[in-house]
Amino acid sequence: MTGNTTILSHHQAFDVEGDVVSHTDSASKCFDDDGRLKRTGSVWTASSHIITAVIGSGVLSLAWAIAQLGWIAGPAVMILFSLVTIYTSSFLADCYRSGDINSGKRNYTYMDAVRSILGGANVTLCGIFQYLNLFGIVIGYTIAASISMTAIKRSNCFHKSGHKNPCHMSSNQYMIMFGVIEIFLSQIPDFDQIWWLSSVAAVMSFTYSIIGLALGIAKVAENGIIKGSLTGISIGAVSETQKIWKTFQALGDIAFAYSYAVVLIEIQDTLKSPPSEAKSMKKATKISIAVTTTFYMLCGCMGYAAFGDAAPGNLLTGFGFYNPFWLIDIANAAIVVHLVGAYQVFAQPIFAFVEKTATQRWPNIDKEFKIEIPCLPPYKLNLFRLVWRTVFVILTTVISMLLPFFNDIVGVIGALGFWPLTVYFPVEMYISQKKIPKWSNRWICLQIFSGACLVVSVVAAVGSIAGVLLDLKNYKPFQSNI
C-alpha cells in the first residue's frame, strides 16, 4: 500500500460505527437506503481511487525486486500477484453488504465487514493486523521521505563535484524534519479537513512514477542494450544464502506494491446503485489492476532493463540516474510531498481508534479548549490528542531512525499485510456469506489457495527480516550514512 487514497472521508474510514442519520423517506431521491446522502461514485471514479491507492512508493522498489527474480520469474510473479488481488477483491466486494447483495446491511469499513460476517476473535485479529500494517506503513513512509530528501542534497553535491565526491550524509536530520511536519499535521482532528493534501499527494505519486519510467526508457536507449538475465542476480555476485533471502524479500516488495484491501470497502462505499455496488466494484477492480499492472511492468522492467543486476533498491534515490539532476530533484520532491499526505491518510485511522477507545474508558479525556486565532476560526485544543499524537509521531520517527532500510521494511510490511488482509479474511468471509459447506470441493480449493498464499507471505517475511538483520550487522543506530 503502498500509495495513498483520496476517498477516506471521516464518516467512511475513521469512525463509522456511530448511528447513521435517519431519514423518514428512505426512498427519497436525495438519500440512500441507510439514510445517507445519495452516493454518486461510478466504476470510473472507483477505478481512479484504486489506482491512486495502489500506485505509491512501492513502485520504486520494483526494478530491484525484478533484479532478484530475473526476466522470467519477475514479471510472472507480478502477474500472479495481480490475479490474486483481483480474485480476492471480488470476494471482498461481495462483503460490502451482509446477506443480500442488493439490499443487505452496509458495512462501511473492512472491520465492519469482519464484525458482521465472521465476528468473535476474527474482529480482534483483523484489528491487530490492520493497525500493525498501518503502523508499519507510516514507518516505511518516514524512511522513504528522508531518503528522498537526502537524495536531493546528494544530487546537487554530485552535480557540483562532478561525481568525484561520494557525498555521504546522514538521513537522521531529514527524518526529524519530516516528523516535525507530521506532528503539526496530526493535530488537525480529522483528515477530511485536509482532503486537499491527499489530492495533491495523488498527483505527486503519478509525477514521480512517470519520471522514473521516463528515465528508465532514456537509460535503455542510452545503453543501446537491454540488461538483466533470465534468472536475476547470479550466485557469485551474491552468496547462495543471500540469493534465497533476496528472492523471498522481492516477493514482499511486490506484495506491498499491490496491497489495497484495507481500503477497498471504503472505496466501494462511494458507489451509487443500481447496478449493485459489488458488480461495479468488481469491474472497477479489473480495470484498475490491469492499468496498475501495466504501469508496474513498465516501471519495474524498464528499471531492470536499464541497470540489470545493479538495479537500485529505490529507483529514484539509488543514483543509477545522475542526470538531468534537476528532474531527479523534482521527482524526489514529489515523493516527499506525496508521503507527507500519505502518512496522515494511514495514521488517522490509528488516531481515531485510540482516541475512541480512550474516550469510552475516560469520558472527560476529550475536553477541548478554544484558542482564538486572528483571521481564522478558533482552534479547539484537545490536550490528550496533542500529547498522544505527538508521542505517536515521535515513536514512528525514532523507529525509522533505528531501522532506515527502505527495501527490507517495505518487504516486511508487504509480507505481514498480504495474507491476512488480502487473502485470509476475504476468503473466510466469502465462505461464510455463500454458506459453502465444510470439506466440499470448493471449500477445500479455497483453503488450499489461502494456504499457498500464507506460505508466500511467510517466506517473504522471513526473507525481509533476514535482510533487516543483515543490514543491522554493519549499522550503528542514529548514525546512518547514505
Side-chain angles (χ1 to χ4, degrees), residues 298-358:
L298 285 169
C299 286
C301 292
M302 275 299 166
Y304 185 40
F307 300 108
D309 291 353
N314 184 317
L315 195 59
L316 291 170
T317 62
F319 289 98
F321 302 118
Y322 286 96
N323 288 301
F325 79 98
W326 56 269
L327 186 61
I328 295 161
D329 286 355
I330 289 171
N332 279 301
I335 293 172
V336 175
V337 174
H338 165 213
L339 295 177
V340 164
Y343 182 105
Q344 287 299 312
V345 169
F346 290 99
Q348 284 285 350
I350 302 175
F351 296 157
F353 174 74
V354 170
E355 285 157 24
K356 184 179 177 183
T357 305

Side-chain angles (χ1 to χ4, degrees), residues 57-72:
S57 58
V59 73
L60 301 173
S61 66
L62 290 178
W64 179 90
I66 291 178
Q68 312 314 308
L69 299 167
W71 278 119
I72 297 174

Side-chain angles (χ1 to χ4, degrees), residues 409-426:
I409 296 300
V410 160
V412 172
I413 298 163
L416 291 178
F418 172 66
W419 179 71
L421 298 173
T422 303
V423 180
Y424 173 75
F425 287 115

